[in-house]
Amino acid sequence: MHEEEDGGGGGGEASSPTASRILPSKSVDVGEVEGARDAQAPRLCGYLNKLAGKGPLRGYRPRWFVYDPRKCYLYYFKSPQDALPLGHIEVGDACFSYNVEGDEGQFEIHTAGKEFLLKAPSRQAMHYWLQQLQQKRWEYSNTRGSGQRDSWSSPTLLYPHTGLVSKDSDAFLFEKPSESMERVRSDFAMETETDGGGMVGMQSARGSSGLSTNFSLKNWGTELRNSMSSLRPGRGGESRRSMFYTSNSNEEWELVDPPSKDIPEQKPHPDTHRHSTGSAFPFDFGRTSSRSKRPFLRDMMGSGKFGRNAATESRSAETSPVECNGAKPMEMQLRLQSQQEEVSRLYQEQAKLHEELAGQKELVRLLQQTLRTSQCDRHPVSHPPPTPDSSPAPGQSQALVVTQEEIPQREVMLQERDGQIQALCGHMERLALEKDSLQQELKGLKIKVGEINDQLGMLMETIQAKDEVIIKLSQESSEQSGQPNEGSSPPHNREQQELDILKDSLQGYKSQNKFLNKEILELTVLRRNAESREKALEAKYTALEARLCQVESKYLVLLQEVKTPVCSSSEQSPAREVISRLLEDALQVESADQQEHPIFKPHTVSEYDVYGFKTVPEEEEEEEKLVAKVRALELKSLSMTDQEVSVGVKWENYLAGTLNRDLVRSPELKALMRCGVPHVHRSKVWHWCVNFHVRKFRDSMRPDYYETLLTVARDKPNPASKQIELDLLRTLPNNKHYASPSAEGIQKLRNVLMAFSWRNPDIGYCQGLNRLAAIALLYLDQEEAFWCLIAIVEVFMPRDYYTKTLLGSQVDQRVFKDLMSEKLPRLHAHFEQHKVDFSLITFNWFLVVFVDSVVSEILFKIWDAFLFEGPKIMFRFALALFKYKEEEFLKLQDSTTIFKYLRYFTRTILDSRKLMNIAFVEMNPFPMRQIHNRRSFHLEKVRLELTELEAIRQTFLRDRETSQDGRTFVSDDEEDN
């Protein structure tokens, strides 16, 4: 069955002339759309016509298709401006086909239980789409099931990592396809142009996208949300207005110039002819509002032929095009027949109205006769009364008395008759008006029937003329075929045309044969890969089950042996051997050398985490190694909790709605940033955050600003270069990207720091900048990491934060002490009681934004919120760290013990969700205005203190210079002489 999407849209779109002008396009990634300098891979997207609807509403509708490489889905939208898709097609498990003898550009996609019928504007565009979809499916199948990813993350990244961690994302082993298989695929590949014949590009999204009736009732909720998102302020304004917008709703279609021949003609689907009574003109339709549309009588009446169906047929007859080349005369005859039936029906109604009018006239005549009779009966009543002298006869007196008694009744009857006469007169006037309107309507229909008859006559004459020409050409052809052909005479024109048609058909079947052979080959390989993945998963499950049994048996033995105490420490008991073996097994981690069977050897903890940090240090003692391994296991288990999975799903859904637009600051995005960005999306999100904060700087600089600074740094010596070289290997020694001079991150870090020292000579280089740049380089390119460093130093932090005096850093420590006394009064009093200066520890937290102070999982979640909200995050998390361990601090009653615990307590905090809840919920309210006010207050005090210190230093230097003569050193030899 075909996929049914739009239950309420008009089915006439299949034959719309504008629908055939919709071209598919291949756009580029978001970075290229915005004019960014990052080279991104092009994305497959564009317009295709999709068959949807049911019954008479079934037809092709233009849809904007976008390929998502993360899940190998082909999403389709109503327009490029929509945020929510109407649906998707699973390309990863789909197969493709098309019919050479079918409509041009039409192809099918078959998935599990669904069949999608699509149509490209040309055969060339169809070939390009099929080639691209096959290639995307092939690439997806080669990486499917081989990556070490979480259950909720995508198998393929839509926004690949651009920093140093991008090397690690490809570290797992993929089964590379054989070269022979690739050669076979290339042999079967169809010959298409790289850009789809010039019909692929983002310009398709800015062009025509179909009729304004392109609406889906089945997806009305999605349509409504897309409409509301386009009208939401701050998200594009006028640019979000639909490209089908028009300011006048009272419009009428009229014929304009026919389209050019290079535009492919849209052919209606065969199913649509069952419900359409009109044929198609090869003309385009334009809109005009210069004259009002006159309603037909059948549109105003609501029964029988003049009801809703008749109105629909009338609209379809007016707006549906007609082919004038004699292709469909039967449709014109059916249309004429329907018009004649309507005229005959009107004649019958007119006859009925005439009969009714004659009956009313007869009734009026009878009433008039009755009225005259009544008037004659009233004459005796009007005679003068008799005189007293006259004596009336007895009979006359009796008749006069009777007449006088009936006078009131007769008057009432006359009044009733008068009212009936007036009502009948009004009814006659209304009937006369209705008769006039029917006569006018009848005249209009006669004129219309006459016009249709003229068109039919013209068509019949055209057909007759063409038949005569065909007969004449046939006779000439038969006469020439009877004559002997000359030896060098060229073939007949008709034979040449037939030969060309056969050649075209042969070429089409060859292309179809190549495509189907390639499709069969790839589907076979996909099936084999699926079977291999299934077998590998079964083997992995068996290995995991066996390992679990082994671990359980070892621990059972250990528990049983622990019941009996060991008499002597020097005695070698079986329990000691078991414990030692368990410790050896627990301290083993997966290294790069253990690659014999990566699938059959599941390891919960690797030698390095996803960020490149070493999980278990080698130079530490066995106890510390065991603690590090336990910490890594706990972090691994915490990263697989339901809450972490839920956050990942929320990010997937949010970014799926931004396929056609960039990120925008909003409360929803802020809440997601405070939950932490998943590893797979962090490069894209950090890139957007940095660009958002330094946009005013980048817009005023040249595009090659970073390269220019690097050139200057290579050509001219810099006083900071020596200190930079000394600090390179001391930056992150426990990270493999910076562990050795030959590591890839060392040269990138050197370039970023040298470029920044030339941009900001006031700071040049300060210890701490190297760690900030090193963390940024893990997810960003060199240039983006350079701008990230600018955002932190010149946008987030106050002035003089990284200068020689570290004035801003000292001020922030005093602000933090004030916040400690306000938010954590008990802990602050405890520190004051034991005279513990915690700023000796927290100073480095603020200077390098917690690098090397917390575990990597928490560190990068802090940086996610820090790059979005700014320096306020440092105060929030510093307070949250102390709040997390407040009870442990209060239990310590010795200053030495407290200070020792201060140095390492942050490494014991592993639950990032609990820490974030403390930072963003329990620390509220936390206004930035309060921090600004306290910074201003303490800034003046620190400046006065620094001025006094400078004065003391100058005084000391002067005193030392004046007393230099009295400090001459005399050796023992000189004293002897």
Side-chain angles (χ1 to χ4, degrees):
M1 59 178 294
H2 289 283
E3 170 69 7
E4 302 296 335
E5 166 214 336
D6 303 325
E13 290 181 17
S15 60
S16 64
T18 56
S20 62
R21 302 184 184 182
I22 298 166
L23 308 178
S25 68
K26 176 183 67 177
S27 71
V28 293
D29 202 4
V30 180
E32 292 184 0
V33 175
E34 297 174 345
R37 289 175 292 278
D38 297 52
Q40 300 284 352
R43 185 184 302 165
L44 182 65
C45 63
Y47 274 114
L48 288 174
N49 291 324
K50 179 178 179 295
L51 183 64
K54 295 181 180 179
L57 303 179
R58 187 174 181 81
Y60 284 98
R61 295 174 177 81
R63 293 288 179 258
W64 175 257
F65 284 81
V66 178
Y67 174 75
D68 183 7
R70 296 176 300 170
K71 298 182 179 180
C72 200
Y73 282 359
L74 189 64
Y75 290 95
Y76 50 92
F77 303 77
K78 180 182 174 183
S79 67
Q81 289 78 21
D82 289 347
L84 299 177
L86 299 177
H88 66 274
I89 303 175
E90 298 181 5
V91 181
D93 298 324
C95 59
F96 316 102
S97 64
Y98 72 93
N99 187 7
V100 178
E101 299 178 356
D103 293 342
E104 182 179 1
Q106 180 176 301
F107 62 97
E108 297 179 1
I109 301 179
H110 301 269
T111 60
K114 294 183 181 179
E115 179 181 339
F116 299 86
L117 192 61
L118 308 177
K119 182 181 288 187
S122 65
R123 192 175 299 275
Q124 184 181 13
M126 177 193 70
H127 288 167
Y128 179 81
W129 274 95
L130 291 174
Q131 286 273 74
Q132 290 297 316
L133 291 176
Q134 277 187 335
Q135 183 65 26
K136 300 298 183 184
R137 182 187 61 187
W138 181 257
E139 294 172 356
Y140 178 82
S141 65
N142 289 334
T143 60
R144 190 176 183 182
S146 302
Q148 297 176 352
R149 61 182 187 273
D150 296 333
S151 60
W152 52 266
S153 64
S154 303
T156 313
L157 301 184
L158 177 61
Y159 307 100
H161 293 307
T162 55
L164 295 173
V165 295
S166 62
K167 306 297 181 181
D168 300 335
S169 61
D170 300 329
F172 9 96
L173 297 177
F174 295 131
E175 182 182 357
K176 296 183 178 179
S178 62
E179 295 180 0
S180 60
M181 180 62 65
E182 292 294 338
R183 285 198 298 270
V184 172
R185 290 182 67 252
S186 62
D187 292 339
F188 284 131
M190 297 181 293
E191 297 180 1
T192 58
E193 295 184 11
T194 57
D195 59 347
M199 305 165 70
V200 175
M202 200 59 187
Q203 65 274 9
S204 174
R206 297 187 290 268
S208 176
S209 61
L211 296 175
S212 59
T213 57
N214 185 15
F215 186 80
S216 171
L217 285 183
K218 184 176 181 180
N219 306 95
W220 64 270
T222 304
E223 294 274 4
L224 182 60
R225 288 194 293 272
N226 286 332
S227 301
M228 294 302 296
S229 65
S230 64
L231 297 175
R232 193 173 299 164
R235 297 200 176 188
E238 290 294 316
S239 63
R240 294 297 177 199
R241 175 175 289 175
S242 173
M243 61 183 65
F244 321 120
Y245 172 81
T246 176
S247 58
N248 188 5
S249 59
N250 298 324
E251 297 169 337
E252 182 178 0
W253 296 95
E254 67 174 4
L255 288 172
V256 296
D257 297 335
S260 58
K261 295 182 179 179
D262 56 348
I263 299 177
E265 181 180 356
Q266 181 75 21
K267 296 181 181 180
H269 191 264
D271 294 346
T272 59
H273 295 305
R274 305 174 186 172
H275 312 284
S276 176
T277 58
S279 57
F281 287 99
F283 296 101
D284 196 1
F285 284 83
R287 291 186 177 185
T288 176
S289 58
S290 59
R291 53 198 176 95
S292 60
K293 181 184 290 186
R294 178 173 177 176
F296 292 109
L297 179 63
R298 55 182 177 176
D299 294 333
M300 297 184 293
M301 300 182 66
S303 62
K305 185 71 175 179
F306 304 94
R308 180 177 179 182
N309 296 333
T312 305
E313 291 181 5
S314 175
R315 289 193 296 271
S316 64
E318 289 178 2
T319 59
S320 60
V322 178
E323 297 179 357
C324 295
N325 294 328
K328 299 178 181 179
M330 290 301 297
E331 295 184 0
M332 182 62 71
Q333 293 179 1
L334 292 174
R335 186 175 177 182
L336 179 61
Q337 183 178 0
S338 63
Q339 297 288 347
Q340 290 176 352
E341 291 177 356
E342 292 177 5
V343 172
S344 62
R345 186 179 183 85
L346 290 174
Y347 275 126
Q348 294 176 1
E349 291 190 359
Q350 185 182 9
K352 291 181 181 179
L353 290 175
H354 278 299
E355 293 177 359
E356 185 178 356
L357 182 63
Q360 295 292 340
K361 287 182 178 180
E362 181 66 21
L363 179 61
V364 171
R365 187 182 62 79
L366 292 176
L367 291 174
Q368 289 177 351
Q369 185 177 0
T370 304
L371 180 62
R372 287 195 297 269
T373 304
S374 301
Q375 290 177 353
C376 293
D377 293 341
R378 289 183 62 184
H379 286 300
V381 179
S382 61
H383 290 170
T387 57
D389 297 336
S390 62
S391 58
Q396 294 178 351
S397 177
Q398 185 178 0
L400 182 61
V401 172
V402 172
T403 302
Q404 289 176 353
E405 292 177 354
E406 293 179 353
I407 284 174
Q409 298 179 359
R410 301 248 178 151
E411 289 179 351
V412 171
M413 185 182 298
L414 288 174
Q415 291 177 358
E416 292 178 356
R417 296 296 183 180
D418 291 340
Q420 292 178 0
I421 291 171
Q422 292 178 359
L424 289 174
C425 291
H427 186 58
M428 287 179 62
E429 292 178 357
R430 288 193 297 272
L431 290 177
L433 293 175
E434 187 174 357
K435 177 183 177 183
D436 294 339
S437 64
L438 290 174
Q439 288 178 351
Q440 292 177 0
E441 185 71 24
L442 181 61
K443 290 179 181 179
L445 291 175
K446 287 182 178 179
I447 294 173
K448 192 171 183 179
V449 171
E451 293 176 354
I452 294 176
N453 287 330
D454 294 340
Q455 292 182 4
L456 182 60
M458 292 172 61
L459 290 175
M460 297 301 293
E461 291 176 0
T462 303
I463 295 173
Q464 185 176 359
K466 289 185 176 181
D467 290 340
E468 293 176 357
V469 172
I470 292 173
I471 294 173
K472 185 177 179 180
L473 291 175
S474 301
Q475 292 177 356
E476 292 178 357
S477 176
S478 61
E479 292 175 359
Q480 292 180 1
S481 62
Q483 299 176 359
N485 295 329
E486 299 179 358
S488 60
S489 61
H492 192 265
N493 189 19
R494 181 177 179 182
E495 294 178 355
Q496 183 65 30
Q497 291 178 356
E498 292 178 354
L499 183 60
D500 294 338
I501 292 173
L502 291 176
K503 287 182 178 179
D504 293 340
S505 300
L506 179 61
Q507 187 64 30
Y509 281 112
K510 284 183 178 180
S511 300
Q512 186 190 32
N513 187 31
K514 283 186 177 182
F515 171 78
L516 292 178
N517 286 334
K518 184 180 179 183
E519 185 72 7
I520 292 172
L521 176 66
E522 289 191 1
L523 290 176
T524 304
V525 174
L526 292 178
R527 182 180 60 82
R528 291 176 180 173
N529 291 342
E531 293 176 355
S532 301
R533 286 196 301 269
E534 185 178 0
K535 293 179 180 178
L537 290 174
E538 290 178 357
K540 184 177 181 180
Y541 171 77
T542 304
L544 288 172
E545 189 176 15
R547 184 177 178 83
L548 179 62
C549 293
Q550 293 175 2
V551 172
E552 288 180 351
S553 62
K554 291 179 181 179
Y555 277 99
L556 287 175
V557 172
L558 175 63
L559 293 176
Q560 185 177 2
E561 295 293 334
V562 167
K563 291 181 180 179
T564 59
V566 180
C567 298
S568 175
S569 60
S570 60
E571 181 182 356
Q572 297 294 331
S573 64
R576 290 179 58 84
E577 296 179 1
V578 173
I579 292 174
S580 61
R581 285 201 306 269
L582 288 176
L583 289 176
E584 291 177 1
D585 293 343
L587 290 176
Q588 287 181 357
V589 294
E590 180 182 4
S591 63
D593 300 332
Q594 300 172 346
Q595 295 293 343
E596 314 100 27
H597 300 288
I599 291 181
F600 303 106
K601 295 184 69 176
H603 290 279
T604 54
V605 177
S606 302
E607 184 178 4
Y608 296 95
D609 60 10
V610 293
Y611 315 105
F613 292 98
K614 199 169 186 63
T615 54
V616 179
E618 297 177 355
E619 63 277 1
E620 302 292 341
E621 297 180 358
E622 184 176 289
E623 183 179 357
E624 295 182 356
K625 288 183 178 180
L626 195 60
V627 171
K629 182 68 179 289
V630 172
R631 184 189 307 127
L633 287 171
E634 291 182 3
L635 288 173
K636 185 73 174 178
S637 62
L638 289 172
S639 65
M640 294 186 294
T641 58
D642 294 339
Q643 195 170 5
E644 291 292 336
V645 174
S646 175
V647 171
V649 172
K650 290 178 182 177
W651 271 103
E652 289 278 343
N653 296 334
Y654 180 79
L655 292 179
T658 61
L659 287 174
N660 294 327
R661 62 170 65 97
D662 199 0
L663 298 178
V664 179
R665 289 183 70 92
S666 62
E668 181 183 4
L669 181 59
K670 182 178 179 180
L672 287 175
M673 295 294 291
R674 289 186 169 187
C675 293
V677 183
H679 173 69
V680 294
H681 304 303
R682 188 167 280 133
S683 289
K684 171 185 169 57
V685 176
W686 280 21
H687 176 81
W688 175 83
C689 290
V690 171
N691 284 335
F692 179 83
H693 292 297
V694 300
R695 187 175 302 159
K696 59 180 179 180
F697 295 118
R698 300 189 74 165
D699 292 343
S700 60
M701 301 297 178
R702 295 184 305 174
D704 59 344
Y705 177 67
Y706 175 71
E707 296 295 334
T708 304
L709 292 176
L710 285 182
T711 304
V712 174
R714 296 189 191 103
D715 297 340
K716 298 180 181 180
N718 192 311
S721 60
K722 184 177 180 180
Q723 188 62 40
I724 290 174
E725 291 295 333
L726 291 175
D727 289 346
L728 286 177
L729 293 178
R730 295 185 294 186
T731 302
L732 294 175
N734 59 338
N735 191 292
K736 65 180 180 180
H737 301 297
Y738 306 99
S740 64
S742 60
E744 186 180 1
I746 293 296
Q747 182 58 40
K748 294 182 178 181
L749 181 61
R750 179 186 293 110
N751 294 339
V752 172
L753 294 177
M754 292 297 295
F756 181 81
S757 66
W758 279 103
R759 169 182 167 79
N760 196 331
D762 183 33
I763 296 176
Y765 172 73
C766 173
Q767 288 184 343
L769 297 181
N770 56 336
R771 296 187 178 183
L772 297 177
I775 294 298
L777 279 170
L778 291 177
Y779 283 100
L780 302 173
D781 289 335
Q782 287 188 46
E783 186 174 357
E784 295 302 323
F786 166 74
W787 287 108
C788 180
L789 193 60
I790 292 176
I792 295 174
V793 177
E794 301 182 15
V795 179
F796 291 165
M797 301 303 189
R799 189 174 298 177
D800 298 329
Y801 211 89
Y802 294 96
T803 55
K804 295 180 180 180
T805 60
L806 298 177
L807 178 62
S809 301
Q810 298 183 49
V811 170
D812 272 2
Q813 292 307 307
R814 301 196 180 191
V815 174
F816 181 66
K817 284 186 178 181
D818 293 346
L819 293 175
M820 279 284 291
S821 62
E822 177 185 342
K823 301 289 185 179
L824 302 173
R826 288 197 307 157
L827 185 59
H828 183 266
H830 186 67
F831 286 151
E832 291 293 332
Q833 177 184 354
H834 295 281
K835 296 180 174 56
V836 175
D837 187 7
F838 55 85
S839 63
L840 298 175
I841 303 298
T842 59
F843 185 86
N844 193 56
W845 294 1
F846 284 73
L847 195 66
V848 296
V849 195
F850 298 97
V851 177
D852 270 348
S853 298
V854 294
V855 295
S856 56
E857 287 289 338
I858 295 178
L859 172 65
F860 287 97
K861 286 181 171 61
I862 294 175
W863 271 65
D864 294 336
F866 173 71
L867 291 179
F868 185 80
E869 298 187 44
K872 182 173 63 174
I873 295 299
M874 297 189 302
F875 293 97
R876 279 187 178 273
F877 276 96
L879 291 171
L881 289 171
F882 281 111
K883 178 66 175 178
Y884 196 104
K885 295 291 184 178
E886 182 179 15
E887 298 301 329
E888 285 75 2
F889 275 112
L890 294 177
K891 293 177 183 178
L892 303 177
Q893 301 298 326
D894 180 50
S895 59
T896 305
T897 309
I898 293 175
F899 193 80
K900 183 178 179 181
Y901 188 61
L902 268 174
R903 298 180 61 183
Y904 72 88
F905 84 98
T906 55
R907 309 291 298 183
T908 64
I909 297 177
L910 306 178
D911 192 350
S912 60
R913 291 297 150 202
K914 180 179 177 182
L915 183 66
M916 289 181 175
N917 183 71
I918 296 173
F920 296 117
V921 178
E922 298 185 17
M923 292 295 113
N924 287 333
F926 210 91
M928 190 64 190
R929 182 177 60 256
Q930 179 184 8
I931 296 176
H932 285 316
N933 295 336
R934 295 190 177 184
R935 275 177 172 173
S936 301
F937 173 76
H938 288 290
L939 181 62
E940 297 300 327
K941 297 177 64 176
V942 175
R943 281 178 176 172
L944 290 175
E945 293 175 1
L946 291 177
T947 304
E948 294 176 359
L949 288 174
E950 182 65 21
I952 294 172
R953 191 177 71 87
Q954 294 296 334
T955 303
F956 172 76
L957 292 175
R958 286 194 300 268
D959 295 341
R960 187 177 63 177
E961 290 177 359
T962 57
S963 62
Q964 188 72 23
D965 298 336
R967 298 182 59 189
T968 304
F969 175 75
V970 179
S971 64
D972 295 338
D973 296 338
E974 292 177 352
E975 290 180 355
D976 295 339
N977 296 332

